[in-house]
Amino acid sequence: MRQGLKRPRPTDTPERSPVSENVRVRFAPSPTGHLHIGGARTAIYNWAFARRHGGTFVLRIEDTDPERSTDENTQAILRAMEWLGLDYDEGPGVGGPYGPYFQTQRFASYADALERLKAADATYPCFCTPAQLDTKREAARARGGFAGYDRTCRLLSVADAEARIASGEPHVWRLKVPDDRGEIIFPDAVRGDVSFPADAVDDLVLVRTDGTATYNFAVTIDDATMAITHVVRGDDHLSNTPKQILIYEALGEPVPVFAHLSMILGADGKRLSKRHGATSVEAYRDLGYLPEAVMNYLALLGWSLDGETTILSRETLAGNFSLDRVSRNPAIFDDEKLEWLNGVYIREFSPSVFVERMLPWLEEAGLANAGEVESRREWFEELAPLVSERIKRMDEVVDMVGFLFRDAITIDPLAKDKVLAKEGAGRSLEAAADALMHLEDFDAVKVEATLRAIPESLGLKPKIVFQAVRVAITGSTISPPLFESIALLGKPRTLARLQDARPWATV
RNA sequence: GGCCCGUUCGUCUAGCGGUUAGGACACCGCCCUCUCAAGGCGGAGAUCACGGGUUCGAAUCCCGUACGGGCUACCA
């Protein structure tokens, strides 16, 4: 019944959890790297789900891998969350009643849970050595079929086991999977009913020889003790779910609703990795993408409002997100669509907002600083729409407006060949300089009127004239609109550049 | 090997038994035009992975196959 299970239609009402009407979800990244695109989408869905239901969004850092977890990564993840505007109600920095929010600080609760399992006769010590287990596993696999633990130590008598523990023999604690459990079926909020035969679930290790909790044990205890009602996470955890359900059951804890999100793949259909270029949220930020666009794109990569809507505000997302409209199939990440979407957001900016947004990029390129922007506010706001209309990534502003800020420009060699080398280019520059020299009000309208007269007077095509001037002024064949650019550049610099380009131009 | 999940234009998706299979990105053409964009108009692109059923009727329901993916650790 797993495949064709029809998910309930009226969105979200059936998301009623057996646990609580009070939605509590969590995003639990491991600080072994930066916030990955896939992780970001998981975070977004959790956030949106919580907001949609007036619930609580918890951020929990799973820093139990001491080798790879770093505080720096934790900070980077926190920053990425903030950049995306994913505010959480409980977690590092903000605290909350279910803390601490770092897994390494929750060890006591795992020990406590283990005691409860012992009391419930739901766990047993296992003395098999890793080497023995390897051998058994290999043999089992060679035989075909189930390759889980053969439950040797489960057969040990309590007295035996206690004696061996007392003698100091190393041991782990395993979950005693009930023999009569039958099929483990759970209603996945995105995939419908999913079922696993209970005898295919291993007597998994809960607590290691060194006393630390394994992943499946730790997450389950954390989710239970944090009263998480909906576990929305990556597809890679689907097979872990029956194990975790068994732990909830052994503990007598309510089982949350699970929702498994499919993976995000690279253009080649393979799992997203370094080979695919940028994979972290901050890499996209540095590439000139806007948080609005990344959020919008990721929201739609695996979820749809109605199949038509492509531009989606965070408010709309927060007000309409539903798990039953999440796609079940893996999605290929499409940089081009993200870029288009980014352009849409850039174009929507008002001049003053665009100026704010481009300032960091100008500063980083050493073109301008906040003070200059303040002192020439109108000038920047005139420039804004000329640029915002023609870029898709914020980093492009630097190339697009650089000529306005530098004293001297270098002319693109290709532009020299293609434009200045054309016959008539020299005459065009000369005529433009002569005409503009006498212009009093150096605004775009006047500049345009002045330059428009030149092609005819020289008997040249407008394109020849204007492109020559453009290259002389901006150094490139591509630029914001010419007349406006000239007006913004100002008379002295314009005349100087017209002059400077003359040696390159064919008369 | 075993268990589980998935498969609609190149890509993201709509679709919940009867549709000319809709939209978006990308692509192509035309218009606009001082470049580049943006914008407008139009176009091409999906035998709904394949094969069997069920049904008057299937992209939609069932079964199987193929392909892709996940899990199968004292990793997370």
Side-chain angles (χ1 to χ4, degrees), chain A residues 456-467:
Chain A
E456 204 182 343
S457 72
L458 294 182
L460 292 169
K461 282 186 177 165
K463 201 162 179 169
I464 298 284
V465 177
F466 296 137
Q467 276 301 78

Side-chain angles (χ1 to χ4, degrees), chain A residues 78 219 471:
Chain A
L78 261 35
V219 225
V471 169

Side-chain angles (χ1 to χ4, degrees), chain A residues 438-450:
Chain A
H438 304 295
L439 192 58
E440 288 305 321
D441 301 319
F442 213 73
D443 61 52
V445 175
K446 294 273 170 37
V447 169
E448 174 161 8
T450 305

Side-chain angles (χ1 to χ4, degrees), chain A residues 7-9 11-12 15 45 189-190 299 302-308 320-328:
Chain A
R7 287 175 294 160
R9 200 62 228 267
T11 51
D12 284 326
E15 235 99 75
Y45 287 9
V190 347
W303 177 80
S304 64
L305 178 59
D306 53 15
E308 307 282 300
N320 296 280
F321 181 80
S322 65
L323 290 172
D324 61 345
R325 286 194 67 85
V326 171
S327 170
R328 287 171 299 257

Side-chain angles (χ1 to χ4, degrees), chain A residues 5-48:
Chain A
L5 197 261
K6 252 184 216 172
R7 287 175 294 160
R9 200 62 228 267
T11 51
D12 284 326
T13 23
E15 235 99 75
R16 205 173 298 119
S17 121
V19 183
S20 160
E21 295 294 316
N22 243 333
V23 166
R24 288 180 57 82
V25 293
R26 61 19 169 220
F27 174 56
S30 157
T32 54
H34 292 180
L35 184 58
H36 195 265
I37 284 298
R41 189 188 59 173
T42 303
I44 290 169
Y45 287 9
N46 272 286
W47 173 86

